[in-house]
Amino acid sequence: MSCIQCEQISKYKCPVCRQPYCSVPCYKTHKQTPCTPPDPPTPANESDDKEIEYDYPTEDTVPVEKLKLLELSTELKKCLENPHVREILEVLDKSPHPDEMMKEYMQEPIFTEFVDACLKVVQPQEDTDK
């Protein structure tokens, strides 16, 4: 990207309008005129009202309604406060073979705690004491 003032290669962006600049003098020149934050990106697909449909559902596919309940789980939120859990999830998300890595991570107690919290929401155990 090139500087909005002098066309040199920019290293920085204005914290308000996100326009590129290369140096303090160019930034000061830019700030002489008021700038405004960029418009937020508009979603390409406003499908919040539509129900998500799976391309290839199986008997193990979790219904969307149950997946939305994950947002409400305080136990799950507590698990996600742990940076190690978030790091594991990022690695799994980027992995070409997450199923293989999942077996490895299931040996880590912090990850199994996360998985158990998810399962409690999407697959609650029935009371067998009745």
Side-chain angles (χ1 to χ4, degrees):
M1 294 176 81
S2 56
C3 176
I4 56 173
Q5 299 300 321
C6 70
E7 301 298 319
Q8 290 186 17
I9 295 175
S10 64
K11 297 180 184 177
Y12 314 102
K13 288 186 179 182
C14 173
V16 176
C17 67
R18 309 300 297 157
Q19 292 291 323
Y21 65 92
C22 67
S23 62
V24 172
C26 285
Y27 178 72
K28 287 181 178 179
T29 304
H30 169 67
K31 293 313 286 176
Q32 288 175 355
T33 58
C35 58
T36 59
D39 292 333
T42 56
N45 188 355
E46 303 251 349
S47 62
D48 290 343
D49 298 341
K50 289 184 177 179
E51 186 63 36
I52 297 172
E53 292 184 24
Y54 294 105
D55 291 336
Y56 306 102
T58 67
E59 62 185 33
D60 296 326
T61 302
V62 178
V64 176
E65 305 82 48
K66 284 195 175 189
L67 290 176
K68 288 182 180 179
L69 294 175
L70 291 170
E71 294 177 356
L72 306 175
S73 170
T74 54
E75 184 179 356
L76 186 57
K77 287 178 185 176
K78 182 144 179 71
C79 289
L80 289 170
E81 288 175 1
N82 186 315
H84 186 59
V85 171
R86 293 193 309 270
E87 181 182 321
I88 290 172
L89 292 173
E90 286 180 26
V91 170
L92 281 171
D93 186 46
K94 294 175 184 172
S95 171
H97 304 288
D99 50 338
E100 294 171 11
M101 295 185 80
M102 195 76 126
K103 291 177 187 173
E104 180 184 324
Y105 286 130
M106 286 303 287
Q107 302 302 312
E108 294 199 34
I110 191 71
F111 186 70
T112 56
E113 183 180 332
F114 167 77
V115 171
D116 288 341
C118 291
L119 286 173
K120 283 180 188 175
V121 174
V122 297
Q123 210 174 37
Q125 297 293 318
E126 299 294 324
D127 287 336
T128 55
D129 298 338
K130 293 180 181 178

